[in-house]
Amino acid sequence: DTGVSQDPRHKITKRGQNVTFRCDPISEHNRLYWYRQTLGQGPEFLTYFQNEAQLEKSRLLSDRFSAERPKGSFSTLEIQRTEQGDSAMYLCASSFDRPDEQFFGPGTRLTVL
Amino acid sequence: DQQVKQNSPSLSVQEGRISILNCDYTNSMFDYFLWYKKYPAEGPTFLISISSIKDKNEDGRFTVFLNKSAKHLSLHIVPSQPGDSAVYFCAASYNTDKLIFGTGTRLQVFP
């Protein structure tokens, strides 16, 4: 399978715990994006990378959120001190120099109890 | 502030007929528009796009129409098939990598 992969697919955690998600983009894609989707809403942009550089961050990305893309390959999204409001589907997407055609992974569903 | 709006949360269409999904936007700076389809437990899948310099783009059974003066775009699916049943998201961007999505329309195509 050469699509975008995300791990884990589901994560249940207790409030206050830290969680980390991983995204593996399509291998030749240099751009990588993170979105968050809550029930009844469309995906909301969080941040994006071009190669290893993080070029834009949404104000939705509070200080508790951090994303990295070392070596311009896979990316991780960490949420510290999780809150119940962080419960959502976290989507990763990638593209190759065409930001308008982003290929999405299956998402990681986070539930914070 | 919802810059991209899909006012119909659901649509039901008979197989073989036309499905028309609508999307309105408020930001006149948007220069690219896209439609994504999403099945349960999967990420959105890119379907079709249109640049603001065009008013129509066609790809097989899918056609997107853009009316810039009305800040409105629509997706036409002809003929509709049961496999088209999914949630459809409209998205827009302007000179940036950030896509702004609508809230989605759930399409159901029945036999």
Side-chain angles (χ1 to χ4, degrees):
Chain A
D1 187 3
T2 57
V4 177
S5 62
Q6 293 186 245
D7 183 70
R9 295 291 305 275
H10 303 272
K11 179 69 176 178
I12 300 174
T13 191
K14 292 183 179 179
R15 189 175 52 191
Q17 298 294 305
N18 299 344
V19 294
T20 300
F21 310 141
R22 177 179 169 124
C23 171
D24 287 89
I26 295 171
S27 59
E28 66 269 22
H29 285 185
N30 57 350
R31 298 171 190 247
L32 187 147
Y33 311 82
W34 285 99
Y35 290 84
R36 180 174 70 185
Q37 184 178 14
T38 53
L39 195 63
Q41 299 297 315
E44 294 175 290
F45 172 83
L46 292 178
T47 188
Y48 99 94
F49 295 84
Q50 183 167 333
N51 300 310
E52 66 274 12
Q54 187 173 17
L55 296 186
E56 188 171 352
K57 292 170 62 173
S58 164
R59 60 173 183 256
L60 292 176
L61 216 65
S62 75
D63 292 345
R64 297 184 297 106
F65 288 71
S66 63
E68 294 181 344
R69 193 183 182 198
K71 302 178 184 177
S73 56
F74 71 92
S75 175
T76 58
L77 177 68
E78 181 183 17
I79 309 174
Q80 296 183 327
R81 304 181 304 282
T82 52
E83 301 173 357
Q84 287 186 324
D86 297 332
S87 296
M89 175 74 80
Y90 289 84
L91 293 162
C92 175
S94 70
S95 71
F96 180 68
D97 277 344
R98 286 206 60 176
D100 50 287
E101 291 184 8
Q102 299 176 17
F103 294 83
F104 282 81
T108 294
R109 180 168 295 283
L110 173 66
T111 301
V112 182
L113 303 176
Chain B
D1 178 29
Q2 192 74 26
Q3 298 186 67
V4 178
K5 301 177 184 179
Q6 294 177 256
N7 293 318
S8 298
S10 64
L11 176 67
S12 188
V13 173
Q14 188 173 28
E15 181 179 6
R17 305 294 290 268
I18 184 171
S19 295
I20 300 176
L21 295 95
N22 295 304
C23 178
D24 297 294
Y25 61 95
T26 58
N27 192 336
S28 57
M29 297 295 289
F30 287 142
D31 58 7
Y32 213 87
F33 304 88
L34 308 89
W35 285 95
Y36 280 81
K37 178 170 71 173
K38 186 180 184 305
Y39 293 119
E42 296 182 11
T45 302
F46 170 75
L47 197 56
I48 192 169
S49 62
I50 187 167
S51 164
S52 61
I53 62 174
K54 295 184 177 181
D55 55 17
K56 177 182 175 181
N57 188 26
E58 194 171 353
D59 183 2
R61 297 185 299 113
F62 303 92
T63 303
V64 57
F65 295 91
L66 175 62
N67 182 334
K68 289 190 293 292
S69 61
K71 295 191 179 68
H72 178 84
L73 67 156
S74 60
L75 174 68
H76 292 210
I77 307 174
V78 184
S80 301
Q81 300 173 353
D84 296 329
S85 297
V87 177
Y88 289 78
F89 290 100
C90 168
S93 69
Y94 59 99
N95 197 29
T96 177
D97 283 50
K98 179 171 66 177
L99 293 180
I100 299 174
F101 285 83
T103 53
T105 296
R106 181 177 302 277
L107 173 66
Q108 183 180 3
V109 180
F110 60 92

